[in-house]
Amino acid sequence: MDTNNRKIYIETYGCQMNFSDSEIVGSILSTHEYTITDEINEADYILINTCAIRDNAEQRIRKRLRELKALQRKRPHLKIGVLGCMAERLKDALMEEEDNVSLVAGPDAYRSLPSLLKEVDSGHKAANVLLSEEETYGEIDPVRLGSNGISAFISIMRGCENFCAYCVVPYTRGRERSRDPKTIVDEARRLFEKGYKEVTLLGQNVNSYRWDESGTMVTFPQLISRVAEINPQLRVRYSTSHPKDLSDELIEAMATHDNICKCIHLPVQSGSNHMLKAMNRKYTVEWYMDRIEAIRRRMPDCAITTDVIAGFCGETEDDHLQTLELFRKVGYDYSFMFKYSMRPNTYAHKYLNDNVSEEEKTRRLEEIIKLQGELSLESYRRDVGKRFEVLVEGTSKRNKAQLFGRNSQNKVIVFDGEGHSKGEYITVEVTDCTSATLIGHIVK
Ligand code: SAH
Ligand code: SF4
Ligand code: F3S
């Protein structure tokens, strides 16, 4: 093995935050004697950035670790490291349970990866799962992994302190902390100068972004405005807003900047006040609906998407029906829908009873999925006949003669795009749709 230029392959699971973190890891390691490769068969190390949000996310990673044993038999020097939320949750125990793992590093420990890899090189196993109250990787310029050269993620904060009863994130990602706005705006500006046209600002609850700038507080609406003002040709998105904190100021900032995309992801989790209380979400259905109305009043064309959990502890049939009713009322454009999965050490694990049967969870989830399918189709049908500005992302996978891109509402539009290319803004009129794609033609 050439010890001066070892190749690292990074494989990422989980949320956008994890994808963004992998780019930070890539950056930290590219500055040392390592190269990031996208060819797994050339790798000297495979780093798996993991998710712990639901049991099936962890099972998938364990299965992947077993699969990788075959590759390790062929290439005995190949070492495997586990990063991210599952690493943080299981700590050293992960290396006892999975005997082909030599390195474990939690989300706040990535600066120590070069020294952890050295320990592994000298034949030891290495772990660092310390969580930090300050680490934001603020000044690190991430390498863009698997990027289309058009859209990029920018982490603006880390951690979460909301402690929703079901959720493992506060334990895997630690205290909430915001990143210096100057480094965020600089990163966005550098991306724009390199030809990127869209950035997504990431945090578990972006509304609690806060940075003391010589005595005055920079809040999220101010931060997103600063990023939007870099250039009107740079689209700005964000994720995720917690409904309890979605402010009128943020709605106003979105409405007054054309390039802040008109799409809000507002995870509701349940349509029942009884469940919301048990989940420690700190808002009611009435509060949530008031926020939806505030969005619609100011931005009638804004898409609204959500996350929902079926079968949380103590959920009755009536609670479930209230969730369906709320879905109909809001008419979500799209949702991420999950079956409740008990996570060790969370409040729900310690104090509540996971008493909805697996079959019942499945049935409720299927009902929500079916309803969302209808709502999505209605939402896409309403767009037929409308014109949208589309940011072109590439050629359609199904038909090479066609281009695809997204509108401000984050809906994918496919169209004949002869003579145009990736990164352009084009006006497209929608002529047809499915429940997941709009189909259109260029308006000359
Ligand atoms: N910070 C974001 C959510 C991050 S996790 C927010 O609060 O909105 C993404 C989604 O996974 C959550 O919104 C929730 O719907 C789901 N989720 C989290 N923990 C879960 C669990 N234990 N079982 C099932 N789904 C869960
Ligand atoms: Fe989890 Fe709640 Fe934090 Fe979201 S806000 S990451 S659901 S604890
Ligand atoms: Fe994200 Fe999964 Fe961690 S959703 S924050 S990678 S537990």
Side-chain angles (χ1 to χ4, degrees), residues 398-420:
R398 290 219 187 126
N399 178 350
K400 287 271 169 323
Q402 291 199 307
L403 295 177
F404 81 96
R406 276 163 219 269
N407 63 9
S408 178
Q409 290 73 9
N410 211 25
K411 288 178 179 164
V412 171
I413 307 193
V414 179
F415 55 97
D416 285 329
E418 214 180 319
H420 295 279

mmCIF file of all heavy atoms in Angstrom, residues 398-420:
data_model
loop_
_atom_site.group_PDB
_atom_site.id
_atom_site.type_symbol
_atom_site.label_atom_id
_atom_site.label_comp_id
_atom_site.label_asym_id
_atom_site.label_seq_id
_atom_site.Cartn_x
_atom_site.Cartn_y
_atom_site.Cartn_z
ATOM 1 N N ARG A 398 -35.045 8.894 -18.058
ATOM 2 C CA ARG A 398 -35.863 8.062 -18.939
ATOM 3 C C ARG A 398 -35.672 8.374 -20.410
ATOM 4 O O ARG A 398 -35.778 7.506 -21.256
ATOM 5 C CB ARG A 398 -37.356 8.259 -18.603
ATOM 6 C CG ARG A 398 -37.719 7.650 -17.276
ATOM 7 C CD ARG A 398 -39.082 6.993 -17.360
ATOM 8 N NE ARG A 398 -39.483 6.573 -16.033
ATOM 9 C CZ ARG A 398 -40.630 6.907 -15.464
ATOM 10 N NH1 ARG A 398 -41.500 7.655 -16.123
ATOM 11 N NH2 ARG A 398 -40.924 6.490 -14.259
ATOM 12 N N ASN A 399 -35.449 9.658 -20.704
ATOM 13 C CA ASN A 399 -35.387 10.073 -22.096
ATOM 14 C C ASN A 399 -34.296 11.133 -22.243
ATOM 15 O O ASN A 399 -34.447 12.263 -21.783
ATOM 16 C CB ASN A 399 -36.769 10.637 -22.495
ATOM 17 C CG ASN A 399 -36.771 11.127 -23.926
ATOM 18 O OD1 ASN A 399 -35.731 11.222 -24.571
ATOM 19 N ND2 ASN A 399 -37.960 11.461 -24.416
ATOM 20 N N LYS A 400 -33.204 10.735 -22.866
ATOM 21 C CA LYS A 400 -32.018 11.597 -22.945
ATOM 22 C C LYS A 400 -32.270 12.919 -23.698
ATOM 23 O O LYS A 400 -31.534 13.878 -23.538
ATOM 24 C CB LYS A 400 -30.851 10.844 -23.617
ATOM 25 C CG LYS A 400 -30.234 9.765 -22.730
ATOM 26 C CD LYS A 400 -29.119 10.353 -21.885
ATOM 27 C CE LYS A 400 -28.571 9.485 -20.781
ATOM 28 N NZ LYS A 400 -29.403 8.618 -20.013
ATOM 29 N N ALA A 401 -33.330 12.928 -24.505
ATOM 30 C CA ALA A 401 -33.630 14.156 -25.252
ATOM 31 C C ALA A 401 -34.323 15.190 -24.363
ATOM 32 O O ALA A 401 -34.515 16.333 -24.758
ATOM 33 C CB ALA A 401 -34.518 13.832 -26.449
ATOM 34 N N GLN A 402 -34.727 14.754 -23.165
ATOM 35 C CA GLN A 402 -35.439 15.686 -22.294
ATOM 36 C C GLN A 402 -34.582 16.163 -21.132
ATOM 37 O O GLN A 402 -33.676 15.468 -20.684
ATOM 38 C CB GLN A 402 -36.689 14.992 -21.754
ATOM 39 C CG GLN A 402 -37.729 14.765 -22.852
ATOM 40 C CD GLN A 402 -39.081 14.514 -22.241
ATOM 41 O OE1 GLN A 402 -39.212 13.651 -21.392
ATOM 42 N NE2 GLN A 402 -40.080 15.271 -22.669
ATOM 43 N N LEU A 403 -34.899 17.365 -20.658
ATOM 44 C CA LEU A 403 -34.214 17.910 -19.487
ATOM 45 C C LEU A 403 -35.154 17.823 -18.291
ATOM 46 O O LEU A 403 -36.368 17.720 -18.444
ATOM 47 C CB LEU A 403 -33.845 19.371 -19.720
ATOM 48 C CG LEU A 403 -32.820 19.681 -20.815
ATOM 49 C CD1 LEU A 403 -32.646 21.195 -20.941
ATOM 50 C CD2 LEU A 403 -31.479 19.016 -20.497
ATOM 51 N N PHE A 404 -34.575 17.865 -17.098
ATOM 52 C CA PHE A 404 -35.425 17.998 -15.917
ATOM 53 C C PHE A 404 -34.853 19.064 -15.014
ATOM 54 O O PHE A 404 -33.653 19.358 -15.042
ATOM 55 C CB PHE A 404 -35.587 16.668 -15.177
ATOM 56 C CG PHE A 404 -34.427 16.349 -14.272
ATOM 57 C CD1 PHE A 404 -34.491 16.657 -12.911
ATOM 58 C CD2 PHE A 404 -33.285 15.761 -14.768
ATOM 59 C CE1 PHE A 404 -33.411 16.372 -12.076
ATOM 60 C CE2 PHE A 404 -32.206 15.472 -13.942
ATOM 61 C CZ PHE A 404 -32.270 15.773 -12.592
ATOM 62 N N GLY A 405 -35.744 19.642 -14.229
ATOM 63 C CA GLY A 405 -35.326 20.651 -13.257
ATOM 64 C C GLY A 405 -36.436 20.782 -12.237
ATOM 65 O O GLY A 405 -37.357 19.967 -12.215
ATOM 66 N N ARG A 406 -36.315 21.778 -11.365
ATOM 67 C CA ARG A 406 -37.343 21.990 -10.349
ATOM 68 C C ARG A 406 -37.867 23.412 -10.423
ATOM 69 O O ARG A 406 -37.134 24.326 -10.791
ATOM 70 C CB ARG A 406 -36.744 21.793 -8.963
ATOM 71 C CG ARG A 406 -36.703 20.369 -8.508
ATOM 72 C CD ARG A 406 -35.721 20.259 -7.351
ATOM 73 N NE ARG A 406 -34.988 19.036 -7.477
ATOM 74 C CZ ARG A 406 -35.377 17.888 -6.929
ATOM 75 N NH1 ARG A 406 -36.485 17.846 -6.204
ATOM 76 N NH2 ARG A 406 -34.679 16.806 -7.117
ATOM 77 N N ASN A 407 -39.119 23.557 -10.011
ATOM 78 C CA ASN A 407 -39.633 24.912 -9.848
ATOM 79 C C ASN A 407 -39.361 25.352 -8.408
ATOM 80 O O ASN A 407 -38.811 24.583 -7.611
ATOM 81 C CB ASN A 407 -41.105 25.004 -10.261
ATOM 82 C CG ASN A 407 -42.020 24.135 -9.395
ATOM 83 O OD1 ASN A 407 -41.589 23.596 -8.382
ATOM 84 N ND2 ASN A 407 -43.272 24.022 -9.805
ATOM 85 N N SER A 408 -39.754 26.564 -8.108
ATOM 86 C CA SER A 408 -39.525 27.112 -6.780
ATOM 87 C C SER A 408 -40.157 26.220 -5.707
ATOM 88 O O SER A 408 -39.624 26.057 -4.609
ATOM 89 C CB SER A 408 -40.123 28.520 -6.762
ATOM 90 O OG SER A 408 -40.003 29.116 -5.520
ATOM 91 N N GLN A 409 -41.299 25.600 -6.043
ATOM 92 C CA GLN A 409 -42.028 24.741 -5.107
ATOM 93 C C GLN A 409 -41.361 23.383 -4.921
ATOM 94 O O GLN A 409 -41.885 22.505 -4.250
ATOM 95 C CB GLN A 409 -43.475 24.551 -5.577
ATOM 96 C CG GLN A 409 -44.360 25.792 -5.478
ATOM 97 C CD GLN A 409 -44.045 26.857 -6.522
ATOM 98 O OE1 GLN A 409 -43.273 26.644 -7.461
ATOM 99 N NE2 GLN A 409 -44.641 28.021 -6.363
ATOM 100 N N ASN A 410 -40.232 23.173 -5.562
ATOM 101 C CA ASN A 410 -39.455 21.938 -5.451
ATOM 102 C C ASN A 410 -40.071 20.747 -6.198
ATOM 103 O O ASN A 410 -39.732 19.593 -5.948
ATOM 104 C CB ASN A 410 -39.215 21.559 -3.979
ATOM 105 C CG ASN A 410 -37.896 20.819 -3.787
ATOM 106 O OD1 ASN A 410 -36.963 20.973 -4.591
ATOM 107 N ND2 ASN A 410 -37.804 20.006 -2.755
ATOM 108 N N LYS A 411 -40.990 21.028 -7.109
ATOM 109 C CA LYS A 411 -41.550 19.942 -7.915
ATOM 110 C C LYS A 411 -40.676 19.737 -9.159
ATOM 111 O O LYS A 411 -40.227 20.709 -9.775
ATOM 112 C CB LYS A 411 -42.972 20.280 -8.349
ATOM 113 C CG LYS A 411 -43.958 20.206 -7.180
ATOM 114 C CD LYS A 411 -45.345 20.603 -7.644
ATOM 115 C CE LYS A 411 -46.332 20.505 -6.485
ATOM 116 N NZ LYS A 411 -47.582 21.226 -6.781
ATOM 117 N N VAL A 412 -40.472 18.468 -9.496
ATOM 118 C CA VAL A 412 -39.657 18.139 -10.664
ATOM 119 C C VAL A 412 -40.485 18.335 -11.931
ATOM 120 O O VAL A 412 -41.645 17.910 -12.003
ATOM 121 C CB VAL A 412 -39.148 16.681 -10.575
ATOM 122 C CG1 VAL A 412 -38.480 16.251 -11.872
ATOM 123 C CG2 VAL A 412 -38.180 16.534 -9.403
ATOM 124 N N ILE A 413 -39.903 18.994 -12.934
ATOM 125 C CA ILE A 413 -40.554 19.208 -14.226
ATOM 126 C C ILE A 413 -39.673 18.629 -15.323
ATOM 127 O O ILE A 413 -38.470 18.898 -15.351
ATOM 128 C CB ILE A 413 -40.801 20.704 -14.516
ATOM 129 C CG1 ILE A 413 -41.552 21.346 -13.353
ATOM 130 C CG2 ILE A 413 -41.545 20.896 -15.840
ATOM 131 C CD1 ILE A 413 -42.124 22.720 -13.637
ATOM 132 N N VAL A 414 -40.263 17.815 -16.196
ATOM 133 C CA VAL A 414 -39.539 17.226 -17.315
ATOM 134 C C VAL A 414 -40.049 17.896 -18.589
ATOM 135 O O VAL A 414 -41.252 18.123 -18.737
ATOM 136 C CB VAL A 414 -39.809 15.703 -17.378
ATOM 137 C CG1 VAL A 414 -39.083 15.075 -18.559
ATOM 138 C CG2 VAL A 414 -39.380 15.047 -16.082
ATOM 139 N N PHE A 415 -39.121 18.219 -19.519
ATOM 140 C CA PHE A 415 -39.551 18.918 -20.750
ATOM 141 C C PHE A 415 -38.506 18.741 -21.848
ATOM 142 O O PHE A 415 -37.340 18.435 -21.558
ATOM 143 C CB PHE A 415 -39.757 20.422 -20.460
ATOM 144 C CG PHE A 415 -38.540 21.074 -19.863
ATOM 145 C CD1 PHE A 415 -37.642 21.771 -20.668
ATOM 146 C CD2 PHE A 415 -38.281 20.996 -18.510
ATOM 147 C CE1 PHE A 415 -36.502 22.361 -20.132
ATOM 148 C CE2 PHE A 415 -37.144 21.586 -17.961
ATOM 149 C CZ PHE A 415 -36.260 22.267 -18.767
ATOM 150 N N ASP A 416 -38.930 18.936 -23.093
ATOM 151 C CA ASP A 416 -37.988 18.902 -24.216
ATOM 152 C C ASP A 416 -37.134 20.148 -24.127
ATOM 153 O O ASP A 416 -37.659 21.256 -24.172
ATOM 154 C CB ASP A 416 -38.745 18.913 -25.554
ATOM 155 C CG ASP A 416 -39.368 17.555 -25.812
ATOM 156 O OD1 ASP A 416 -38.785 16.545 -25.361
ATOM 157 O OD2 ASP A 416 -40.436 17.507 -26.442
ATOM 158 N N GLY A 417 -35.829 19.931 -24.016
ATOM 159 C CA GLY A 417 -34.993 21.105 -23.704
ATOM 160 C C GLY A 417 -33.868 21.327 -24.673
ATOM 161 O O GLY A 417 -32.793 21.781 -24.286
ATOM 162 N N GLU A 418 -34.118 21.018 -25.935
ATOM 163 C CA GLU A 418 -33.063 21.125 -26.947
ATOM 164 C C GLU A 418 -32.378 22.492 -26.892
ATOM 165 O O GLU A 418 -33.050 23.527 -26.832
ATOM 166 C CB GLU A 418 -33.657 20.908 -28.334
ATOM 167 C CG GLU A 418 -32.682 20.200 -29.245
ATOM 168 C CD GLU A 418 -33.281 19.998 -30.620
ATOM 169 O OE1 GLU A 418 -34.478 19.652 -30.694
ATOM 170 O OE2 GLU A 418 -32.560 20.217 -31.589
ATOM 171 N N GLY A 419 -31.050 22.464 -26.908
ATOM 172 C CA GLY A 419 -30.295 23.716 -26.942
ATOM 173 C C GLY A 419 -30.058 24.318 -25.567
ATOM 174 O O GLY A 419 -29.350 25.303 -25.438
ATOM 175 N N HIS A 420 -30.652 23.720 -24.535
ATOM 176 C CA HIS A 420 -30.446 24.266 -23.189
ATOM 177 C C HIS A 420 -29.638 23.291 -22.347
ATOM 178 O O HIS A 420 -29.533 22.116 -22.668
ATOM 179 C CB HIS A 420 -31.786 24.546 -22.523
ATOM 180 C CG HIS A 420 -32.557 25.626 -23.211
ATOM 181 N ND1 HIS A 420 -32.309 26.958 -22.995
ATOM 182 C CD2 HIS A 420 -33.531 25.548 -24.137
ATOM 183 C CE1 HIS A 420 -33.115 27.673 -23.760
ATOM 184 N NE2 HIS A 420 -33.873 26.848 -24.471
#
